[in-house]
Structure formats: C-alpha cells, structure tokens
Amino acid sequence: MILEHALLPVKPGREEEFVTAFDEAKQIIASMPGFVSLTLSRCQERPSAFLLLVEWETLEDHTVGFRGSDEYQQWRALLHDFYDPFPVVEHFDQVFSL
C-alpha cells in the first residue's frame, strides 16, 4: 500500500467552491481500481491550503491506472482550475503506524 500526499494551494476566495467541487470529484477517484481511501483536510493557519491523502494498493494504480483514465480527465476538469501553483504530488511507503 502507498500513500499519495498532495498539498493543494487553492486560489484565495475559491475555497468553498473547491470543497463543493471536491465533494463531486471524490466519487470519481473512489471508483478507481486500487483506490483504498482518501482524506481531505483544511489548514487552520492558511485556509486556502488543503491536504489530500489518498491510499492506493500500488503506485501504478495511481500513476498509470488513474492518471491514464478517462475518469482522470473528469477529475482534472472539476479541480485543476482551483490550484495556484499546481500541487506537488508525492508517494510514501509506510514505515510505522500506531
């Protein structure tokens, strides 16, 4: 299992619109093969910053399966206009968990 981490810098003033769009977009990603779970959190100190954590069964489920799918194009259309700058997405292997 891998953890996708993306810090999402939403354009100021569009935060609530983003949350509404993400509520729709989450159904897209949840339907993808290899998807396990996701969490979207909002920063208290910087309300335009959101943290997206997605668990995937494999790295390829995200980088090849999801990003190469027609569903990803729907995801992009719903969400990518909100970001400035575009988020950096990284993938992590779990070392410890309590």
Side-chain angles (χ1 to χ4, degrees):
M1 183 132 17
I2 64 107
L3 181 64
E4 170 194 352
H5 165 283
L7 188 56
L8 309 176
V10 173
K11 295 172 185 172
R14 298 195 64 198
E15 297 90 352
E16 297 312 316
E17 185 184 356
F18 169 73
V19 170
T20 299
F22 195 93
D23 189 44
E24 182 179 344
K26 73 180 191 235
Q27 303 306 319
I28 297 169
I29 197 170
S31 72
M32 297 305 300
F35 170 86
V36 177
S37 68
L38 75 72
T39 302
L40 180 69
S41 303
R42 189 172 187 176
C43 182
Q44 290 191 358
E45 293 80 10
R46 293 177 296 120
S48 293
F50 292 80
L51 175 63
L52 175 62
L53 300 174
V54 183
E55 288 185 305
W56 296 96
E57 290 179 12
T58 68
L59 177 63
E60 292 75 20
D61 287 332
H62 178 227
T63 59
V64 177
F66 180 51
R67 286 189 180 164
S69 69
D70 291 337
E71 290 86 351
Y72 181 71
Q73 299 310 313
Q74 296 171 340
W75 171 272
R76 281 184 59 192
L78 282 168
L79 299 176
H80 284 198
D81 185 54
F82 289 103
Y83 308 135
D84 186 29
F86 194 79
V88 173
V89 177
E90 298 176 306
H91 301 90
F92 294 82
D93 292 309
Q94 184 174 336
V95 177
F96 293 109
S97 179
L98 292 176

